[in-house]
């Protein structure tokens, strides 16, 4: 702590004052602690007032800078139903979280549908790529160690049936969905925590957004149950969703900003393989 001989308000002191305030300490107790360390009372009070005023101004500015909220997909969960009918198919509601909006569904796909998707995808798997927000293209990324492929929307009768079921389940137009992506994670493979929305501040985002606007929702469907590992993790809220064949996790994000708390990742598979089908949902029609 700075002594009375220098009385210089440093960045370290400002951080300490902010930490005390955010921990719930009373202003008079903060000033008393500073005086106990040798600070002049007037200097301590001025440092406290100036630091907290600047902090409040910064918080207000950050809130004003948030992108506006937009409509998002939303399952019909009023009244906390135990299950939903989506295209005549029963889907169980296992978990429903509101902040962030995360819903875990049971039995979204049958085991036969899961097997059929894996069989269709297996001959077309390549090393997975991620969107390059700096250019609008795609690239192999060390954070994603899986094999994958995309189906065109409506590519087969099976794909069409699944896409119609998803659209009915989350109350979002079928045409606003990207094509299903199939991923296979071998032992040790993972996808480090990331956000699915496109950062509007990056130069490549303008090109990406021309194809249907922002992503506003994600549905990850588990096509098998790995022997161990492979949970979908949400670090901001300490949530882990176990990969169970036929089940799915849905989450939405009403603005492209970390305030949505939808940071998520795929934990490493430790035994066996993990297969998933991912459906990203856009604001508008994806073309």
């Amino acid at each position: 702590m700075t002594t009375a001989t220098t009385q210089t308000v440093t960045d370290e002191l400002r951080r300490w004052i902010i930490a005390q305030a955010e921990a719930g300490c009373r202003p008079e107790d903060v000033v008393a602690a500073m005086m106990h360390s040798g600070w002049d009372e007037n200097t301590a009070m001025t440092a406290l007032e100036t630091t907290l005023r600047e902090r409040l101004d910064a918080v207000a500015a950050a809130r004003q800078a948030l992108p506006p909220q937009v409509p998002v997909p939303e399952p019909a969960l009023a009244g906390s139903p135990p299950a939903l009918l989506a295209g005549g198919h029963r889907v169980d509601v296992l978990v429903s979280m509101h902040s962030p909006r995360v819903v875990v569904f049971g039995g979204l796909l049958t085991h036969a549908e899961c097997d059929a998707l894996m069989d269709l995808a297996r001959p077309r798997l390549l090393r997975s790529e991620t969107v390059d927000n700096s250019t609008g293209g795609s690239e192999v990324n060390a954070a994603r160690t899986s094999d994958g492929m995309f189906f065109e929307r409506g590519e087969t009768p099976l794909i069409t049936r699944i896409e119609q079921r998803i659209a009915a389940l989350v109350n979002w137009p079928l045409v606003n969905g990207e094509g299903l992506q199939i991923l296979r994670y071998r032992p040790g493979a993972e996808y480090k925590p990331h956000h699915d929305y496109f950062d509007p501040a990056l130069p490549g985002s303008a090109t990406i957004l021309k194809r249907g606007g922002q992503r506003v929702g994600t549905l990850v469907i588990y096509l098998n149950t790995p022997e161990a590992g492979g949970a979908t993790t949400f670090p901001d809220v300490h949530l882990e969703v176990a990969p169970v064949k036929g089940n799915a996790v849905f989450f939405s994000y009403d603005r492209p900003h970390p305030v949505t708390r939808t940071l998520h990742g795929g934990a490493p598979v430790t035994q066996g393989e993990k297969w998933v089908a991912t459906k990203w949902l856009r604001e508008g029609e994806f073309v």
Side-chain angles (χ1 to χ4, degrees):
M1 184 66 70
T2 306
T3 66
T5 57
T6 56
Q7 302 288 284
T8 301
V9 180
T10 63
D11 288 340
E12 181 182 5
L13 175 63
R14 293 187 183 96
R15 288 193 292 270
W16 180 83
I17 290 173
I18 291 169
Q20 303 315 301
E22 292 180 345
C25 295
R26 298 183 304 170
E28 56 266 35
D29 293 336
V30 176
V31 170
M34 292 175 66
M35 291 173 62
H36 182 73
S37 296
W39 282 87
D40 171 75
E41 182 177 7
N42 289 335
T43 303
M45 292 181 64
T46 300
L48 177 71
E49 292 172 0
T50 302
T51 299
L52 294 184
R53 187 184 308 113
E54 291 175 351
R55 176 65 171 171
L56 290 173
D57 289 345
V59 170
R63 287 176 176 170
Q64 291 175 356
L66 284 177
Q69 292 177 292
V70 298
V72 297
E74 176 60 23
L77 296 180
S80 302
L84 298 173
L85 280 180
H89 180 85
R90 177 191 167 100
V91 181
D92 294 324
V93 180
L94 304 181
V95 175
S96 179
M97 176 183 287
H98 290 275
S99 182
R101 189 53 164 146
V102 178
V103 183
V104 181
F105 292 112
L108 176 58
L109 298 187
T110 67
H111 283 207
E113 290 170 332
C114 292
D115 294 340
L117 273 182
M118 290 188 286
D119 289 342
L120 285 172
R122 189 174 280 106
R124 294 161 59 177
L125 293 175
L126 297 170
R127 173 66 190 272
S128 298
E129 297 185 343
T130 59
V131 172
D132 182 354
N133 284 315
S134 63
T135 65
S138 60
E139 63 178 356
V140 172
N141 190 319
R144 187 179 215 176
T145 51
S146 60
D147 303 311
M149 56 79 64
F150 275 95
F151 287 111
E152 294 292 330
R153 199 169 57 220
E155 183 173 329
T156 71
L158 172 65
I159 300 297
T160 297
R161 182 170 75 246
I162 292 172
E163 289 174 332
Q164 290 173 341
R165 187 179 304 163
I166 292 170
L169 181 66
V170 300
N171 293 305
W172 205 245
L174 186 151
V175 295
N176 289 21
E178 298 181 25
L180 274 176
Q181 184 190 46
I182 308 299
L183 294 175
R184 177 182 62 189
Y185 293 85
R186 298 178 186 271
E190 64 179 317
Y191 195 2
K192 295 185 183 298
H194 59 283
H195 292 98
D196 280 351
Y197 56 73
F198 306 114
D199 187 342
L202 296 178
S205 292
T207 299
I208 300 168
L209 296 177
K210 290 178 181 178
R211 299 193 65 190
Q214 265 294 354
R215 285 176 176 167
V216 289
T218 300
L219 183 74
V220 178
I221 310 169
Y222 306 109
L223 302 182
N224 77 320
T225 304
E227 294 175 39
T232 302
T233 64
F234 294 83
D236 287 347
V237 291
H238 308 291
L239 173 66
E240 293 187 0
V241 179
V244 176
K245 186 172 184 176
N247 290 4
V249 57
F250 164 80
F251 52 99
S252 62
Y253 26 99
D254 58 10
R255 63 186 87 194
H257 194 279
V259 73
T260 58
R261 300 201 294 170
T262 52
L263 183 72
H264 64 285
V269 177
T270 54
Q271 292 184 50
E273 294 183 343
K274 181 179 77 169
W275 287 72
V276 300
T278 302
K279 184 71 163 179
W280 286 294
L281 306 168
R282 298 283 193 108
E283 287 182 278
E285 181 176 353
F286 180 73
V287 295

